[in-house]
C-alpha cells in the first residue's frame, strides 16, 4: 500500500486522503489550485499517437483542489468514531493502568457504562487493557475505585486526519500538526 496524497480545499483545510490515481484525475482535469509538500508521485500513462511520447503526471504529496465539492462547509463536524482512531488518540495506553499495549490487547471502554446511559462517543470512550476493562466491569470509575490517567477528548479535523492514516509522509505530518492544538496528546513524544 503506497502512501496517500493529502487533499485540501483551496483555503488549506484537510478534505480527504487520495490515492495517486485519484489525484491524477484532478491534475488531468486542471482542478489543482496549488500544491505543496516535498514528495512527488509519478504516474505514467499511455503513449501519445502523434508524438510517440508517454504521458506522465507528477503529483505532489499535498494538493489543494478547486471547486465547490472541495469546500469545507462544516469545519466543526465531529470525526467518525472507530476503534483504530480512538486507540491512536489514546496512544495505545490504557486509561486506567497507564501501560502501553498493542491494539489487539485493548478494548474500547465506556467511562459511563451503556447500561447506565453512557454513549458511544469520543468523550465517553477510552482505551483500556482487557484486565482493567474486566476489573471496572459495568461500573463507573469512581464506583470501581479506578482513576482515569487521562481525559478523553474529541479530535479536531487535523487530528482526525492523522489518526485515520497509518502511512503519513513527514511533510504531510508537519502540515497537519500545524492545525493540532498544542495541548493534544499527538504532540507528546513516545
Amino acid at each position: 500500500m503506497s502512501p496517500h496524497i493529502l487533499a485540501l480545499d483551496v483555503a488549506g483545510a484537510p478534505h480527504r486522503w487520495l490515492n495517486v490515481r485519484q489525484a491524477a484525475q484532478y491534475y488531468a482535469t486542471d482542478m489543482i489550485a496549488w500544491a505543496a509538500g516535498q514528495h512527488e508521485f509519478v504516474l505514467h500513462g499511455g503513449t501519445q499517437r502523434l508524438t510517440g511520447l508517454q504521458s506522465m503526471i507528477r503529483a505532489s504529496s499535498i494538493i489543494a483542489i478547486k471547486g465547490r465539492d472541495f469546500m469545507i462547509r462544516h469545519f466543526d463536524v465531529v470525526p467518525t468514531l472507530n476503534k483504530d482512531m480512538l486507540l491512536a488518540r489514546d496512544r495505545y495506553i490504557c486509561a486506567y493502568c497507564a501501560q502501553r499495549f498493542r491494539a489487539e490487547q485493548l478494548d474500547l471502554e465506556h467511562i459511563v457504562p451503556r447500561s447506565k446511559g453512557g454513549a458511544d462517543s469520543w468523550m465517553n470512550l477510552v482505551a483500556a487493557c482487557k484486565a482493567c476493562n474486566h476489573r471496572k466491569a459495568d461500573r463507573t470509575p469512581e464506583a470501581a475505585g479506578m482513576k482515569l490517567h487521562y481525559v478523553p477528548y474529541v479530535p479536531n479535523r487535523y487530528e482526525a486526519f492523522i489518526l485515520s492514516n497509518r502511512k503519513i509522509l513527514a511533510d504531510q505530518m508537519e502540515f497537519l500538526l500545524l492545525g493540532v492544538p498544542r495541548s493534544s496528546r499527538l504532540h507528546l513524544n513516545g
Side-chain angles (χ1 to χ4, degrees), residues 106-186:
L106 291 166
D107 292 324
L108 299 185
E109 203 284 312
H110 290 80
I111 299 167
V112 175
R114 276 192 255 179
S115 65
K116 295 180 177 36
D120 289 337
S121 69
W122 286 104
M123 295 303 291
N124 190 48
L125 287 167
V126 292
C129 70
K130 303 212 183 274
C132 287
N133 196 11
H134 181 71
R135 182 174 150 223
K136 181 180 165 289
D138 195 27
R139 303 176 287 178
T140 64
E142 296 79 20
M146 299 172 75
K147 177 183 147 202
L148 279 172
H149 285 275
Y150 56 80
V151 179
Y153 68 94
V154 178
N156 75 7
R157 182 174 198 83
Y158 291 82
E159 287 172 291
F161 270 77
I162 293 169
L163 297 173
S164 69
N165 186 355
R166 294 177 185 250
K167 296 188 107 181
I168 300 175
L169 299 170
D171 56 348
Q172 295 167 336
M173 181 64 85
E174 185 179 327
F175 179 88
L176 289 169
L177 281 173
L178 293 173
V180 174
R182 299 293 318 145
S183 59
S184 170
R185 287 194 291 272
L186 293 181

Side-chain angles (χ1 to χ4, degrees), residues 26-92:
Y26 290 109
Y27 274 94
T29 56
D30 195 31
M31 293 290 294
I32 305 300
W34 51 272
Q38 300 162 353
H39 295 26
E40 188 175 76
F41 302 92
V42 179
L43 190 65
H44 296 279
T47 304
Q48 295 179 13
R49 187 172 41 143
L50 295 176
T51 64
L53 300 174
Q54 185 178 27
S55 64
M56 179 182 1
I57 293 178
R58 295 179 185 278
S60 294
S61 54
I62 302 170
I63 58 174
I65 300 177
K66 302 178 215 174
R68 298 183 94 157
D69 292 343
F70 258 78
M71 289 176 58
I72 304 298
R73 290 177 185 82
H74 304 287
F75 196 80
D76 57 346
V77 171
V78 174
T80 302
L81 173 65
N82 64 51
K83 184 176 182 179
D84 290 337
M85 286 180 60
L86 187 125
L87 295 181
R89 178 202 71 180
D90 292 351
R91 301 176 60 89
Y92 301 91

